[in-house]
Amino acid sequence: MRTVTTPMLARLHVLTSALLIVSVTSCSFAGEAPRYDGQALYLNHCANCHGTYGEGDGAVTPSLNVVLQDLRYLSQRNGGEFPQAWLTRIIDGRESRQAHGPYDMPVWGAVLQTQEGYDEAANARVSEKITALVSYLETMQVSGAGDELE
C-alpha cells in the first residue's frame, strides 16, 4: 500500500482546483448567445430554391414562376461591393419590392421569429441568424457576369 505524502496531497489539491476553475469557466460561457453557422442556415432555409451553391437551381426551382438570381454575383452586380444591408432587409422581409411584382420569397425574419419566440433574447437570436446567413452569402461571391440588382 502506498502512503500519501504532503507533496502528493498538495499536487492533488492544485489539480483539483484547476479542474474546478475550468469547469466553472466552461459553465459561465454556456449562458452566452450561440454563434450560428451561416452555411447550415443557408442549406436549411435557402438551398431548396437558390441551390446548394447559390446558382438559382434548387430542387423546387422548376415549380417557381420566377427566375432566381445567381447569388454568387451579388457583389459584382452592386459595383463590386457586397450589398450587406440590402440583403439583410431582403432576407428579413422588410425590403418592399412591389414594383417587381409579388414578393414570393418567405419572410425569413418572421419565420425565424416564430421559431425563436418574441422576447428581446429571441429578437437577438433572429438577428444573429440573419447576420450569419448574410456573412455566408458574402463568402459565396465570385467574379463574372451577372444582372443588375433589382
Side-chain angles (χ1 to χ4, degrees):
M1 176 169 220
R2 189 170 185 191
T3 306
V4 178
T5 63
T6 302
M8 289 176 75
L9 284 174
R11 279 187 248 149
L12 183 60
H13 178 70
V14 169
L15 180 60
T16 304
S17 297
L19 289 173
L20 182 61
I21 290 170
V22 169
S23 296
V24 169
T25 304
S26 297
C27 290
S28 67
F29 289 125
E32 290 184 8
R35 300 215 182 260
Y36 297 100
D37 180 350
Q39 182 179 19
L41 288 164
Y42 176 84
L43 293 172
N44 189 41
H45 297 295
C46 311
N48 280 338
C49 292
H50 292 284
T52 302
Y53 304 105
E55 298 174 32
D57 62 348
V60 300
T61 301
S63 67
L64 299 176
N65 294 328
V66 296
V67 176
L68 298 177
Q69 291 184 29
D70 189 328
L71 299 177
R72 300 170 306 155
Y73 297 98
L74 293 171
S75 291
Q76 185 178 47
R77 291 191 302 261
N78 194 46
E81 292 286 325
F82 183 72
Q84 183 177 16
W86 176 82
L87 192 55
T88 298
R89 290 189 307 271
I90 292 293
I91 293 168
D92 196 336
R94 296 176 290 184
E95 181 76 20
S96 174
R97 296 172 40 181
Q98 293 176 2
H100 297 286
Y103 190 78
D104 293 326
M105 187 172 126
V107 179
W108 289 113
V111 171
L112 294 171
Q113 193 74 60
T114 300
Q115 293 172 355
E116 292 294 332
Y118 296 94
D119 61 5
E120 194 171 317
N123 289 334
R125 289 190 301 273
V126 169
S127 292
E128 286 180 40
K129 285 182 175 184
I130 292 172
T131 297
L133 184 51
V134 170
S135 294
Y136 175 68
L137 290 170
E138 188 169 12
T139 70
M140 295 172 75
Q141 301 307 292
V142 296
S143 298
D147 300 322
E148 295 301 316
L149 288 175
E150 296 180 16

